[in-house]
Amino acid sequence: MIKIICVGKIKESYLKELILDYQKRIQKYHKLEIIEVKDEESLEKEKNNLLKVLDLKDYIITLEIEGKSYSSEEFSQHLDQLFLKTSNITFIIGSSLGIPEEIKKLKKESITFSKFTFPHGLFRGILLEQIYRSFKILNHETYHK
């Protein structure tokens, strides 16, 4: 299973539609769950919210500017290799405050998609699109060019 744990909720309807579209597309290939936790005024509170929903047996990947960068092809191969080792991959998208240090210590790796800072909802859509693209690449289906 792929889990995406997000700090904060999506307010914009166009982003909700984007996210829902890619959720449906991905679920043709793999089970996907998106878990939203409340964004708070402190990282300590966000840490507690995240710990309530995190399964420490999962392969935890944080999404951070300082993380490792992949091309779409490399990312798809990386996901494929991870699923040979583990059945659950959890991605964590933090809030505008970042990701609490205690949560960072639980990760197996961190990934970046860019040195840019993205709005939370837009980045969730970007992550979902890249996961979908990965399945298309792995299945040798047209989409990725």
Side-chain angles (χ1 to χ4, degrees):
M1 174 188 306
I2 296 173
K3 296 180 205 169
I4 300 174
I5 300 176
C6 311
V7 180
K9 299 206 179 291
I10 303 298
K11 297 168 189 75
E12 301 88 352
S13 60
Y14 70 96
L15 289 174
K16 287 180 183 178
E17 289 175 29
L18 172 76
I19 290 162
L20 186 60
D21 179 49
Y22 280 110
Q23 272 184 278
K24 288 178 185 175
R25 292 179 189 212
I26 291 167
Q27 290 187 352
K28 293 176 185 175
Y29 299 96
H30 206 83
K31 188 170 181 181
L32 173 74
E33 180 181 13
I34 295 178
I35 302 166
E36 293 179 332
V37 298
K38 187 177 187 310
D39 56 338
E40 303 280 0
E41 65 278 357
S42 75
L43 280 174
E44 181 67 21
K45 289 182 179 180
E46 289 182 355
K47 174 195 78 168
N48 294 333
N49 292 344
L50 287 166
L51 287 173
K52 289 176 189 172
V53 298
L54 258 178
D55 186 337
L56 300 181
K57 294 181 299 248
D58 291 356
Y59 189 93
I60 298 170
I61 300 172
T62 55
L63 295 152
E64 307 176 64
I65 289 176
E66 306 82 23
K68 182 175 179 181
S69 179
Y70 291 96
S71 69
S72 294
E73 295 89 350
E74 291 166 342
F75 184 63
S76 67
Q77 291 304 312
H78 184 55
L79 282 182
D80 196 39
Q81 290 301 307
L82 287 178
F83 279 122
L84 295 175
K85 300 176 194 172
T86 185
S87 55
N88 292 322
I89 299 172
T90 296
F91 293 94
I92 300 175
I93 301 173
S95 71
S96 60
L97 300 174
I99 296 175
E101 285 302 317
E102 293 86 347
I103 300 299
K104 288 181 183 183
K105 291 177 185 173
L106 301 173
K107 71 183 176 195
K108 297 280 196 254
E109 70 177 292
S110 74
I111 293 176
T112 186
F113 283 16
S114 170
K115 297 230 182 259
F116 289 127
T117 300
F118 294 103
H120 175 89
L122 181 59
F123 184 76
R124 194 185 305 187
I126 292 169
L127 172 61
L128 287 167
E129 191 280 335
Q130 284 299 302
I131 292 170
Y132 174 69
R133 182 178 296 273
S134 292
F135 284 117
K136 296 299 261 184
I137 291 169
L138 291 171
N139 286 287
H140 308 288
E141 297 174 6
T142 57
Y143 178 79
H144 177 72
K145 295 180 181 165

